[in-house]
Each structure stands twice: as C-alpha cells, then as structure tokens.
Amino acid sequence: MEGGKDVRVESAPYSCSTCDGGEVPARNLTRRNRKVRSLSTSSASTSFEYRRTQSLHGPSPVTTFGPKACMLQNPHAVMHIQDPASQRLTWNKPPKSVLVIKKIRDASLLQPFKELCRFLTEVKSMIVYVEKKVLEDPAISGDENFAAVTKKFCTFREDLDDISNRVDFIICLGGDGTLLYASSLFQESVPPVMSFHLGSLGFLTPFKFENYQSQVNQIIEGNAAIVLRSRLKVRVLKENWEKKSRVDEKGIILTNGDIESSRKAMQYQVLNEVVVDRGPSSYLSNVDLFLDGHLITTVQGDGVIVSTPTGSTAYAVAAGASMIHPNVPAIMITPICPHSLSFRPIVVPAGVELKIMLSCDARNTAWVSFDGRKRQEICHGDSITITTSCFPVPSICFRDPVNDWFESLAQCLHWNVRKKQNYLSSEDEEF
C-alpha cells in the first residue's frame, strides 16, 4: 500500500534466452561475499553465491503449432503446465495442408499410404506434402492408377527445403521412428502429429489404421486431445585444431609448430535422447558431466544417456531407468554399464543446463548420437550443452495423455504382466 493505493507486484514472465539465441545477461548473476555450501570442495569456489534467476521448471512451451494450430486455453489452469487430461487441440483456421510421412522400404505400407493420400487429396481437397525419396519407390512411381494423385503432391528434401510454415499437421505411417523423424524435420514450432501404428513396437503411435477416415475427420474438425512431448535443445561445440603454416619464397609450405583453433557449433532438437558412448574403443568412456556450471560427476563406463520423459521408455529404460510420463517436466540422466555399483539413474528439473565434455585424462574419444542419428565423434575440447527446448512435439492422442500412456505400457512393454496368484481359501489357511 503506497499513498493510499493498492500496488500489486507481478513477477516478470519467464523467457528462455537460450532458445531465443541470446546470452544470459551478466546482471542475472548476483554475487554475495559470504560462504555458502557448494557442490565443489574447493575453498576458492565458496567465496561467492550465485542466485538462480532461471526457472527450474524449464521454459514454458509454445502453444502454437505450425501456421494454424494452437492449444485450446484452459481458463481454470493456474500453472503453465496444464492438467494432462485438459490439453486439447483447436484450430485458428481450418487446416489446408498435411505432411504424410511413410516408413521407407516397407512394402506393407504402400496400400495404406495410397488410400490415405487419395482420401486427403480427392475427398478432403487438402495439399499433401511428401518427401521426394518416398516417390522414388518403383511401386509408387510405376503405378499408373496412382499417377493422378502423385501429380498433386508437393515434394521436399530433408535438410534442403524448409516446410516449417507450410504444413498444418502431420500424419505418420509406421512405427515410433516415423515420429522421431517428423520431429527432426522441424527445428522450431512443430505442427500437430497424428501417428498410425503400422510398425513393430508402436509405443508412440496410438491410432489404428482401420478407422483412419473418421479419425482424420475428427482431427480436421479440431478439439482433439494432445500431449506435449518435450524436446532437448542440444548444442555441440567442436574445437578444430590446426597447425599454423606459411609459404616461403620458393613456395614450400613450412609448419612452425603453432596451433590455432576454430570453433564449429551445431544445434539439434531431440525428442528421445542424447547418447554419449565409447564408440569402437575397448576402453571405458571417461566424460565429465556438468549441471549449471558445476561438475557433478565423471561418467566411467560404456556411456551416458540424457533423455526426455518420452525417451525414458526407449534406450533409458533398457539401461535401468524409470519410466516417466511425458507431461512431467524433467530430464533423465542414465549411465550405460557404469563401473560403479552406486551410480544410479537420476532425474533433474527441466530447467537446468547440462554440459558433457571429454575428461582431460580420457584414454580415448567419445561418440554422440541424437535420437539414433547424426552420429559424430567428440574429442578433447568439444562440448555438448543440453537444455529443455521451448518447442515440444504436440502428439495427438487416441483418448487422452494418461490413458494412452498406460495403454502403451501394457500393450507394448507388457508392464507388470505376471501370472495371478491363486486365491487362498479358508481350508488352505488351516494348513
């Protein structure tokens, strides 16, 4: 109360400077000259306290997906993360374009692919985007009865054509890999994804193709349940070490022994996990793991998995991690065959920043992959920075996020399947 007036102080909305491409301002770090408890045992590091100004819950995910889709706002929500059962999809404008992703080199998907594309182009009058290499299949390019449909397609090439602002929603035909591939095509806002189970496992693909027409119609009409699958924003910084050289008067190249470095940065959006492993070497991997600038441990083993809640049911669960619902804001750290009995998987808040670097005394290099792709070598001086992305994958649900997840656990992973214990009668109790 100031001057007889009620003054309300509102907290500033959280913004993700890393996702916006900016640096964290120096003023966000407040130093206080008093001893504090630190993760490090060094006395020099206990002189200052750094006050956290970044939310541990991670950046608020965007609620617009592609050019026309958005999340239906819940007026009763009091947190940025809505009740999973209340997350609904709606359209600002009727969708007009769709990206159809088909599993490559799978003959069993040819007929469903052709049926779906005919329905979308001829019945729904939609613009269909298809990857160019899909149409190179002789079973598609050589089908004269399907030629009239293929002429209406808009084609694109991965890593060459940008379709981020052209596609209203995505339909995947195949297994979980098709959803991972769809995620890799969009480095920022991802259109809603509808996945049909036509692959082997199908943990992330809840729809059956038998009723595809009514299900697609329901999505086009809007107001479908969705689950926001968080992604990891990964930045790989590589040090390219080269020896300096000069050319003498006779044109002979002379090396003076000096070394110069040039940095190369690459960025990825990861839906499942980042895997750092020892590669072809027979030695243990030896990598340092930092959390918000503090060295928390050194991983000595076959490697380490940094995964999203969606990725917790993939490689991480095979390595002994727990399974986390996609709506839980978290990052999982799971060692791969650690040479330590006490190194167990841990879950950290979604808002932290992780960094992985090769230890200075490591005997060999490490290798990293992102959702099983883009595999590359990590050498001394290279770093991998991992944070939660502002751009989740809006995955359309068959029923709702909770029921779909437990249905996948039961059907795909046979979670807690066991022969039932026999009933104990009163006569048996006497013995």
Short mmCIF file of all heavy atoms in Angstrom, two decimals, residues 63 65 69-74 82-91 192 218-219 222-228 394-401:
data_model
loop_
_atom_site.label_atom_id
_atom_site.label_comp_id
_atom_site.label_asym_id
_atom_site.label_seq_id
_atom_site.Cartn_x
_atom_site.Cartn_y
_atom_site.Cartn_z
N THR A 63 2.52 -22.62 -27.42
CA THR A 63 1.18 -23.20 -27.53
C THR A 63 0.60 -23.03 -28.93
O THR A 63 -0.59 -23.23 -29.14
CB THR A 63 0.23 -22.55 -26.50
OG1 THR A 63 0.23 -21.13 -26.67
CG2 THR A 63 0.67 -22.89 -25.08
N PHE A 65 1.30 -24.37 -32.89
CA PHE A 65 1.98 -25.45 -33.57
C PHE A 65 1.78 -25.32 -35.07
O PHE A 65 0.70 -25.61 -35.58
CB PHE A 65 1.46 -26.81 -33.08
CG PHE A 65 1.27 -26.85 -31.58
CD1 PHE A 65 0.01 -26.96 -31.03
CD2 PHE A 65 2.36 -26.75 -30.74
CE1 PHE A 65 -0.16 -27.00 -29.66
CE2 PHE A 65 2.20 -26.79 -29.37
CZ PHE A 65 0.94 -26.91 -28.83
N ALA A 69 -2.41 -24.23 -36.04
CA ALA A 69 -2.85 -24.98 -34.86
C ALA A 69 -2.40 -24.31 -33.58
O ALA A 69 -1.36 -23.67 -33.52
CB ALA A 69 -2.33 -26.41 -34.93
N CYS A 70 -3.21 -24.48 -32.53
CA CYS A 70 -2.84 -23.96 -31.22
C CYS A 70 -3.53 -24.80 -30.17
O CYS A 70 -4.41 -25.62 -30.46
CB CYS A 70 -3.22 -22.49 -31.08
SG CYS A 70 -5.00 -22.18 -31.12
N MET A 71 -3.13 -24.60 -28.91
CA MET A 71 -3.76 -25.33 -27.83
C MET A 71 -4.97 -24.56 -27.32
O MET A 71 -4.91 -23.34 -27.15
CB MET A 71 -2.77 -25.55 -26.68
CG MET A 71 -3.34 -26.40 -25.55
SD MET A 71 -2.29 -26.45 -24.09
CE MET A 71 -0.89 -27.31 -24.75
N LEU A 72 -6.05 -25.28 -27.08
CA LEU A 72 -7.25 -24.68 -26.52
C LEU A 72 -6.96 -24.27 -25.08
O LEU A 72 -6.60 -25.11 -24.24
CB LEU A 72 -8.41 -25.67 -26.57
CG LEU A 72 -9.77 -25.15 -26.10
CD1 LEU A 72 -10.26 -24.03 -27.01
CD2 LEU A 72 -10.78 -26.29 -26.07
N GLN A 73 -7.07 -22.99 -24.78
CA GLN A 73 -6.72 -22.48 -23.47
C GLN A 73 -7.71 -22.94 -22.40
O GLN A 73 -8.92 -22.96 -22.63
CB GLN A 73 -6.65 -20.95 -23.50
CG GLN A 73 -5.57 -20.41 -24.42
CD GLN A 73 -4.19 -20.85 -24.00
OE1 GLN A 73 -3.86 -20.86 -22.82
NE2 GLN A 73 -3.37 -21.22 -24.98
N ASN A 74 -7.17 -23.31 -21.25
CA ASN A 74 -7.99 -23.73 -20.13
C ASN A 74 -8.07 -22.59 -19.12
O ASN A 74 -7.07 -22.26 -18.48
CB ASN A 74 -7.38 -24.98 -19.48
CG ASN A 74 -8.20 -25.46 -18.29
OD1 ASN A 74 -9.30 -24.97 -18.05
ND2 ASN A 74 -7.65 -26.42 -17.56
N GLN A 82 -0.52 -27.53 -17.90
CA GLN A 82 -1.93 -27.83 -17.65
C GLN A 82 -2.09 -29.27 -17.18
O GLN A 82 -1.20 -30.11 -17.32
CB GLN A 82 -2.73 -27.63 -18.94
CG GLN A 82 -2.84 -26.18 -19.39
CD GLN A 82 -3.80 -26.04 -20.55
OE1 GLN A 82 -4.53 -26.95 -20.88
NE2 GLN A 82 -3.80 -24.89 -21.18
N ASP A 83 -3.26 -29.52 -16.62
CA ASP A 83 -3.65 -30.89 -16.30
C ASP A 83 -3.60 -31.69 -17.60
O ASP A 83 -4.20 -31.30 -18.60
CB ASP A 83 -5.07 -30.88 -15.73
CG ASP A 83 -5.60 -32.29 -15.50
OD1 ASP A 83 -4.80 -33.23 -15.54
OD2 ASP A 83 -6.82 -32.42 -15.29
N PRO A 84 -2.87 -32.83 -17.61
CA PRO A 84 -2.74 -33.59 -18.86
C PRO A 84 -4.08 -33.93 -19.51
O PRO A 84 -4.18 -33.97 -20.74
CB PRO A 84 -2.01 -34.87 -18.41
CG PRO A 84 -1.24 -34.45 -17.22
CD PRO A 84 -2.07 -33.41 -16.53
N ALA A 85 -5.11 -34.15 -18.70
CA ALA A 85 -6.41 -34.52 -19.27
C ALA A 85 -7.12 -33.34 -19.93
O ALA A 85 -8.09 -33.52 -20.66
CB ALA A 85 -7.30 -35.12 -18.19
N SER A 86 -6.63 -32.10 -19.70
CA SER A 86 -7.31 -30.92 -20.24
C SER A 86 -6.61 -30.34 -21.45
O SER A 86 -7.05 -29.31 -21.97
CB SER A 86 -7.43 -29.85 -19.15
OG SER A 86 -6.15 -29.29 -18.86
N GLN A 87 -5.52 -30.95 -21.89
CA GLN A 87 -4.80 -30.42 -23.05
C GLN A 87 -5.53 -30.80 -24.33
O GLN A 87 -5.60 -31.98 -24.70
CB GLN A 87 -3.36 -30.96 -23.06
CG GLN A 87 -2.52 -30.42 -21.91
CD GLN A 87 -1.10 -30.94 -21.93
OE1 GLN A 87 -0.25 -30.44 -21.22
NE2 GLN A 87 -0.83 -31.95 -22.73
N ARG A 88 -6.07 -29.78 -25.00
CA ARG A 88 -6.87 -30.01 -26.20
C ARG A 88 -6.33 -29.19 -27.35
O ARG A 88 -5.74 -28.13 -27.16
CB ARG A 88 -8.34 -29.61 -25.95
CG ARG A 88 -8.97 -30.17 -24.69
CD ARG A 88 -9.21 -31.65 -24.78
NE ARG A 88 -10.14 -32.02 -25.84
CZ ARG A 88 -10.50 -33.27 -26.10
NH1 ARG A 88 -10.01 -34.26 -25.37
NH2 ARG A 88 -11.34 -33.54 -27.07
N LEU A 89 -6.53 -29.70 -28.54
CA LEU A 89 -6.08 -29.03 -29.76
C LEU A 89 -7.26 -28.32 -30.41
O LEU A 89 -8.38 -28.83 -30.43
CB LEU A 89 -5.51 -30.06 -30.74
CG LEU A 89 -5.16 -29.57 -32.15
CD1 LEU A 89 -3.93 -28.67 -32.11
CD2 LEU A 89 -4.90 -30.76 -33.07
N THR A 90 -7.00 -27.13 -30.92
CA THR A 90 -8.00 -26.43 -31.70
C THR A 90 -7.30 -25.73 -32.86
O THR A 90 -6.07 -25.67 -32.91
CB THR A 90 -8.77 -25.41 -30.83
OG1 THR A 90 -9.86 -24.87 -31.59
CG2 THR A 90 -7.87 -24.27 -30.37
N TRP A 91 -8.07 -25.20 -33.79
CA TRP A 91 -7.51 -24.55 -34.99
C TRP A 91 -7.93 -23.09 -35.03
O TRP A 91 -9.10 -22.77 -34.81
CB TRP A 91 -8.01 -25.24 -36.27
CG TRP A 91 -7.66 -26.69 -36.38
CD1 TRP A 91 -8.48 -27.75 -36.14
CD2 TRP A 91 -6.40 -27.25 -36.75
NE1 TRP A 91 -7.82 -28.94 -36.33
CE2 TRP A 91 -6.53 -28.66 -36.72
CE3 TRP A 91 -5.17 -26.70 -37.12
CZ2 TRP A 91 -5.49 -29.52 -37.04
CZ3 TRP A 91 -4.13 -27.56 -37.44
CH2 TRP A 91 -4.29 -28.94 -37.39
N PRO A 192 0.92 -30.28 -35.21
CA PRO A 192 0.39 -31.46 -34.52
C PRO A 192 0.67 -32.74 -35.31
O PRO A 192 0.60 -32.74 -36.55
CB PRO A 192 -1.11 -31.18 -34.43
CG PRO A 192 -1.23 -29.70 -34.56
CD PRO A 192 -0.11 -29.27 -35.45
N GLN A 218 -12.03 -36.24 -37.53
CA GLN A 218 -12.14 -35.69 -36.18
C GLN A 218 -11.00 -34.71 -35.89
O GLN A 218 -11.20 -33.67 -35.26
CB GLN A 218 -12.12 -36.83 -35.15
CG GLN A 218 -12.31 -36.37 -33.72
CD GLN A 218 -12.32 -37.53 -32.74
OE1 GLN A 218 -12.29 -38.69 -33.16
NE2 GLN A 218 -12.38 -37.23 -31.47
N ILE A 219 -9.81 -35.00 -36.38
CA ILE A 219 -8.66 -34.11 -36.17
C ILE A 219 -8.85 -32.82 -36.96
O ILE A 219 -8.58 -31.72 -36.46
CB ILE A 219 -7.35 -34.80 -36.58
CG1 ILE A 219 -7.14 -36.09 -35.78
CG2 ILE A 219 -6.17 -33.86 -36.41
CD1 ILE A 219 -7.22 -35.91 -34.29
N GLY A 222 -11.03 -30.43 -35.29
CA GLY A 222 -10.39 -29.79 -34.13
C GLY A 222 -10.87 -30.33 -32.80
O GLY A 222 -11.70 -31.24 -32.71
N ASN A 223 -10.30 -29.74 -31.74
CA ASN A 223 -10.65 -30.09 -30.37
C ASN A 223 -10.33 -31.54 -30.04
O ASN A 223 -11.13 -32.28 -29.47
CB ASN A 223 -12.13 -29.82 -30.09
CG ASN A 223 -12.42 -29.74 -28.60
OD1 ASN A 223 -11.52 -29.43 -27.81
ND2 ASN A 223 -13.65 -30.01 -28.21
N ALA A 224 -9.11 -31.94 -30.40
CA ALA A 224 -8.64 -33.28 -30.07
C ALA A 224 -7.69 -33.20 -28.88
O ALA A 224 -7.09 -32.17 -28.61
CB ALA A 224 -7.93 -33.90 -31.27
N ALA A 225 -7.54 -34.30 -28.17
CA ALA A 225 -6.60 -34.34 -27.04
C ALA A 225 -5.18 -34.44 -27.56
O ALA A 225 -4.91 -35.15 -28.55
CB ALA A 225 -6.93 -35.54 -26.15
N ILE A 226 -4.26 -33.73 -26.91
CA ILE A 226 -2.86 -33.79 -27.30
C ILE A 226 -1.99 -33.93 -26.06
O ILE A 226 -2.40 -33.60 -24.95
CB ILE A 226 -2.41 -32.53 -28.09
CG1 ILE A 226 -2.59 -31.27 -27.25
CG2 ILE A 226 -3.11 -32.42 -29.42
CD1 ILE A 226 -2.01 -30.02 -27.88
N VAL A 227 -0.79 -34.43 -26.26
CA VAL A 227 0.22 -34.47 -25.23
C VAL A 227 1.45 -33.74 -25.77
O VAL A 227 1.88 -33.99 -26.90
CB VAL A 227 0.57 -35.92 -24.80
CG1 VAL A 227 1.01 -36.76 -25.99
CG2 VAL A 227 1.64 -35.91 -23.72
N LEU A 228 1.98 -32.81 -24.98
CA LEU A 228 3.16 -32.05 -25.40
C LEU A 228 4.40 -32.82 -24.98
O LEU A 228 4.76 -32.86 -23.81
CB LEU A 228 3.15 -30.65 -24.77
CG LEU A 228 1.98 -29.74 -25.15
CD1 LEU A 228 2.16 -28.36 -24.53
CD2 LEU A 228 1.86 -29.63 -26.67
N PRO A 394 3.67 -31.65 -30.34
CA PRO A 394 2.27 -31.89 -29.94
C PRO A 394 1.74 -33.17 -30.58
O PRO A 394 1.38 -33.20 -31.75
CB PRO A 394 1.54 -30.64 -30.47
CG PRO A 394 2.38 -30.19 -31.62
CD PRO A 394 3.80 -30.60 -31.36
N SER A 395 1.72 -34.23 -29.80
CA SER A 395 1.31 -35.53 -30.30
C SER A 395 -0.18 -35.74 -30.01
O SER A 395 -0.62 -35.63 -28.86
CB SER A 395 2.15 -36.62 -29.62
OG SER A 395 1.82 -37.90 -30.11
N ILE A 396 -0.95 -36.02 -31.04
CA ILE A 396 -2.39 -36.18 -30.91
C ILE A 396 -2.70 -37.53 -30.26
O ILE A 396 -2.15 -38.56 -30.65
CB ILE A 396 -3.08 -36.06 -32.27
CG1 ILE A 396 -2.80 -34.68 -32.88
CG2 ILE A 396 -4.59 -36.29 -32.15
CD1 ILE A 396 -3.32 -34.51 -34.29
N CYS A 397 -3.58 -37.51 -29.28
CA CYS A 397 -3.92 -38.72 -28.50
C CYS A 397 -5.13 -39.43 -29.09
O CYS A 397 -6.00 -38.82 -29.70
CB CYS A 397 -4.21 -38.36 -27.05
SG CYS A 397 -2.87 -37.50 -26.21
N PHE A 398 -5.18 -40.73 -28.85
CA PHE A 398 -6.35 -41.50 -29.23
C PHE A 398 -7.50 -41.22 -28.27
O PHE A 398 -8.63 -40.98 -28.68
CB PHE A 398 -6.01 -42.99 -29.26
CG PHE A 398 -7.16 -43.87 -29.62
CD1 PHE A 398 -7.67 -43.86 -30.91
CD2 PHE A 398 -7.75 -44.70 -28.68
CE1 PHE A 398 -8.74 -44.67 -31.25
CE2 PHE A 398 -8.82 -45.51 -29.01
CZ PHE A 398 -9.32 -45.50 -30.30
N ARG A 399 -7.21 -41.25 -26.95
CA ARG A 399 -8.19 -40.88 -25.94
C ARG A 399 -7.71 -39.65 -25.17
O ARG A 399 -8.24 -38.57 -25.34
CB ARG A 399 -8.45 -42.07 -24.99
CG ARG A 399 -9.32 -43.15 -25.60
CD ARG A 399 -9.75 -44.16 -24.53
NE ARG A 399 -8.61 -44.89 -24.03
CZ ARG A 399 -8.17 -46.03 -24.57
NH1 ARG A 399 -8.78 -46.52 -25.63
NH2 ARG A 399 -7.13 -46.64 -24.06
N ASP A 400 -6.72 -39.83 -24.31
CA ASP A 400 -6.14 -38.72 -23.56
C ASP A 400 -4.72 -39.12 -23.16
O ASP A 400 -4.36 -40.29 -23.24
CB ASP A 400 -6.98 -38.35 -22.33
CG ASP A 400 -7.08 -39.48 -21.33
OD1 ASP A 400 -6.08 -39.75 -20.64
OD2 ASP A 400 -8.15 -40.12 -21.25
N PRO A 401 -3.88 -38.16 -22.72
CA PRO A 401 -2.47 -38.47 -22.45
C PRO A 401 -2.25 -39.55 -21.40
O PRO A 401 -1.30 -40.32 -21.51
CB PRO A 401 -1.91 -37.13 -21.98
CG PRO A 401 -2.79 -36.10 -22.60
CD PRO A 401 -4.15 -36.71 -22.61
#
